Amino acid sequence: MKILFLSPEVAPFAKVGGLGDVGSALPRQLAALDHDVRVFLPLYPRVEEKLEEVESVLPQLDFRLGPRSIRCAILRSRLPDSSCDLYLIQCPELYAWPEIYDRPDEHLRFAAFSWASLLAAKALDFAPDIVHVNDWTTGLTPLILRAQFGEDPHLGRARSVLTIHNLGHQGTFEAGVLPETGLGGSPELFHGNELQQGRVSYLLTGLLYAHAITTVSPTYAKEIQTPEQGHRLDTVLRARSDVLVGILNGIDEEEWDPSRDPHLPTPYDADRLDHKEASKAALLAGSGLLHDPRIPVIGMCSRLVYQKGIDLCMEVLPGLLARHRFQLVVLGQGEPKYERFFKELQQRFRGRVEFDPGFSERKAHLVEAGADMFLMPSRYEPCGLNQMYSLRYGTLPIVHATGGLADTVWDYDDEVAPGGTGFRFVSFDSTGLAWAIERALKVWGSGHGADRERWRQIQRNGMKLPFGWRHRVGRYVELYEKLLRAA
Ligand code: ADP
Ligand code: GLC
């Protein structure tokens, strides 16, 4: 199949969170199955810094978005370790900023992303069977495809797939931006109620027009159809439930593999779990904390935002640190109030807590390997990749049982389904979180002897699970094939 794939983040070139990982791993996996996949990404400065080989394939691509003329160029490179082509949209006026998101002309930057990708495919003589887009930033694409390219010899046959990675971000703008979407001549194609209320939403538009909608875990697919977790889009999602499916994300098994991870001092696997201690020592040394193998380390690596349940950490962690023996290493950046909290926690519990507000691939790997437990108390979590990395690294996840976390972590104490891999709490409140952490600390126990053996068993339960993309990609291929059969 010929697949045009649009993502605002593609690791290692541009990554803010898990979308960057998926935006890179899924197309590479599809290309490995011999599909012809072309990935499109805006050329942000951070991408330019990392590109090694790059060629110009379309020196000039001009189009209009209402009153605005857009001039861009298309460059081509490769995704690492893959035959998959990466196309970069060079338009300094729109994309040459240090940040990927939250610019004042966001509506224009991402409307242009959709238009430029489709126009470039056509100009480059690429006729995709599938146009697969991701999140609100690409949400206008299915409508543009239908309204503007319905009869086009290159694009007219293409079926569109929209993947929701996070319903919390919808790309909602004042209706006044409509002309600059390039679709201003057809306001009737936008959601009527929204327009009446003076808004346009890119994600909602995508949900209305995509031939298929996917999201990144089966549980999240159900949750977003409820008023509680539908972020005001549950009605539309229920109306489109016949084309909505949850496909669990995979992880990049090559990059996240403790037996050959170049970021770790000593490799390890399920049969050499003692070697994990070297990573713990390295993590703690790098964090300025003392290393005692008997004291458990809880790790976190996360965007520090509302979604991630940091409010609960604020309620619970100071008390737990006062009552129990454990250390905490946090890598993350985000909202100032959360960063301030962890900074203060570090000051208050010197030698036991380290907070690193940086963004570091290396340290992310070291936290996964060096911690004994990994904390992810997310309020909601479409999929979550970190808990799967943790499972692979023998680091027991402590999670709120929501979305993809509920689909990937089995509770140690579950009598119905024995063979647990971590610790879950169901009710999203401070009691729930404290209960889960205290259970984990209790199972850790003395950290040696019989306690250690029991811990090892839970680690092994998680380490043998198949989380790689090769176990997942087939679901996307089946979906694409189904769409093409129905076309
Ligand atoms: P989300 O996409 O909601 O942020 P995920 O768990 O799906 O959550 O993915 C987060 C990804 O971002 C992981 O690969 C994680 O390692 C990475 N990450 C988050 N914060 C940092 C950081 N400060 N430094 C390095 N990597 C980070
Ligand atoms: C989003 C979600 C996260 C998911 C990632 C990749 O950022 O918050 O749960 O794992 O996308 O799909």
Side-chain angles (χ1 to χ4, degrees):
M1 282 176 279
K2 294 196 174 75
I3 302 156
L4 184 67
F5 191 93
L6 273 62
S7 175
E9 298 178 34
V10 176
F13 303 107
K15 163 171 164 179
V16 176
L19 174 57
D21 293 310
V22 177
S24 176
L26 174 57
R28 275 187 287 144
Q29 201 60 234
L30 288 163
L33 296 176
D34 282 339
H35 298 294
D36 182 356
V37 193
R38 318 275 176 104
V39 178
F40 276 74
L41 172 74
L43 184 65
Y44 318 109
R46 64 178 86 188
V47 177
E48 215 156 353
E49 286 160 19
K50 293 189 194 105
L51 282 178
E52 281 173 8
E53 280 173 38
V54 63
E55 59 176 328
S56 167
V57 287
L58 207 57
Q60 196 173 320
L61 178 69
D62 293 336
F63 53 96
R64 287 194 74 82
L65 294 183
R68 309 285 291 249
S69 333
I70 307 287
R71 166 158 298 182
C72 55
I74 307 295
L75 313 178
R76 182 169 58 200
S77 184
R78 265 283 141 94
L79 290 184
D81 307 319
S82 169
S83 59
C84 186
D85 281 329
L86 173 67
Y87 289 81
L88 300 144
I89 303 167
Q90 183 176 45
C91 182
E93 178 195 349
L94 297 178
Y95 306 126
W97 309 99
E99 60 274 42
I100 293 184
Y101 303 116
D102 297 331
R103 300 278 320 158
D105 57 350
E106 208 71 333
H107 68 281
L108 188 66
R109 299 172 71 229
F110 289 112
F113 180 29
S114 293
W115 280 98
S117 305
L118 294 175
L119 289 167
K122 191 172 150 55
L124 294 167
D125 201 21
F126 185 62
D129 300 300
I130 297 291
V131 175
H132 189 154
V133 304
N134 294 280
D135 271 356
W136 77 264
T137 49
T138 57
L140 292 184
T141 321
L143 172 57
I144 300 173
L145 202 55
R146 288 197 186 199
Q148 303 289 322
F149 296 102
E151 306 297 321
D152 186 84
H154 285 91
L155 297 165
R157 280 181 34 249
R159 306 280 99 183
S160 59
V161 177
L162 167 64
T163 297
I164 304 168
H165 296 265
N166 195 332
L167 201 65
H169 302 285
Q170 300 181 359
T172 304
F173 304 101
E174 282 184 17
V177 308
L178 206 63
E180 294 187 349
T181 62
L183 294 160
S186 318
E188 73 285 357
L189 296 177
F190 286 82
H191 195 280
N193 285 357
E194 286 281 301
L195 266 189
Q196 266 166 16
Q197 292 170 30
R199 296 190 295 261
V200 289
S201 157
Y202 283 25
L203 184 64
L204 171 57
T205 307
L207 297 179
L208 295 176
Y209 288 100
H211 291 103
I213 302 166
T214 74
T215 188
V216 289
S217 69
T219 294
Y220 194 60
K222 288 190 208 124
E223 288 170 348
I224 57 180
Q225 297 183 54
T226 66
E228 296 75 32
Q229 297 191 66
H231 294 265
R232 295 179 50 247
L233 294 181
D234 50 293
T235 318
V236 173
L237 288 162
R238 281 197 301 279
R240 300 225 64 204
S241 60
D242 54 331
V243 298
L244 168 64
V245 55
I247 304 177
L248 194 67
N249 279 334
I251 62 171
D252 184 330
E253 285 177 314
E254 313 239 312
E255 192 195 338
W256 295 93
D257 178 355
S259 72
R260 51 184 165 159
D261 185 333
H263 302 294
L264 312 189
T266 314
Y268 65 90
D269 55 32
D271 299 323
R272 292 173 298 170
L273 268 168
D274 286 340
H275 292 186
K276 186 173 175 353
E277 201 63 35
S279 290
K280 180 166 172 176
L283 173 68
L284 293 174
S287 306
L289 305 182
L290 283 181
H291 174 214
D292 177 342
R294 291 165 307 175
I295 298 181
V297 171
I298 300 184
M300 288 180 81
C301 168
S302 177
R303 293 183 294 120
L304 300 178
V305 295
Y306 176 79
Q307 173 196 348
K308 299 294 179 180
I310 312 297
D311 303 79
L312 286 193
C313 294
M314 291 167 75
E315 287 175 39
V316 160
L317 287 176
L320 289 180
L321 278 158
R323 287 200 304 280
H324 298 282
R325 223 166 60 127
F326 67 95
Q327 290 167 307
L328 178 71
V329 176
V330 180
L331 171 64
Q333 34 186 232
E335 289 179 35
K337 66 173 174 188
Y338 299 136
E339 293 197 4
R340 213 175 313 120
F341 162 72
F342 283 116
K343 215 174 283 166
E344 284 166 12
L345 203 65
Q346 166 173 294
Q347 278 159 5
R348 182 164 159 204
F349 294 95
R350 270 184 204 290
R352 295 182 56 204
V353 175
E354 197 242 358
F355 169 52
D356 182 344
F359 193 97
S360 155
E361 283 296 332
R362 185 181 166 276
K363 183 135 180 198
H365 283 249
L366 211 50
V367 171
E368 289 294 359
D372 298 296
M373 305 157 193
F374 192 91
L375 184 57
M376 243 174 128
S378 310
R379 185 179 300 267
Y380 71 94
E381 195 61 77
C383 178
L385 300 175
N386 273 311
Q387 81 282 8
M388 293 192 270
Y389 302 152
S390 304
L391 289 166
R392 191 118 204 268
Y393 279 67
T395 303
L396 306 196
I398 303 172
V399 303
H400 175 217
T402 183
L405 298 173
D407 290 337
T408 51
V409 179
W410 313 124
D411 199 276
Y412 164 71
D413 282 330
D414 192 334
E415 282 161 13
V416 185
T421 57
F423 304 90
R424 303 162 41 128
F425 63 102
V426 175
S427 107
F428 184 78
D429 52 34
S430 51
T431 318
L433 174 58
W435 172 73
I437 295 178
E438 286 184 322
R439 276 195 305 130
L441 294 173
K442 193 158 167 228
V443 175
W444 174 271
S446 63
H448 61 89
D451 289 345
R452 170 57 58 115
E453 270 322 298
R454 181 174 46 186
W455 194 263
R456 288 274 183 265
Q457 189 50 52
I458 311 172
Q459 288 177 299
R460 290 197 188 100
N461 289 347
M463 290 177 90
K464 64 178 185 220
L465 294 175
F467 283 123
W469 267 110
R470 66 200 158 94
H471 305 288
R472 305 273 183 266
V473 67
R475 294 291 309 279
Y476 283 98
V477 173
E478 277 166 25
L479 173 69
Y480 298 162
E481 284 172 348
K482 191 169 134 202
L483 287 174
L484 295 179
R485 274 198 305 274

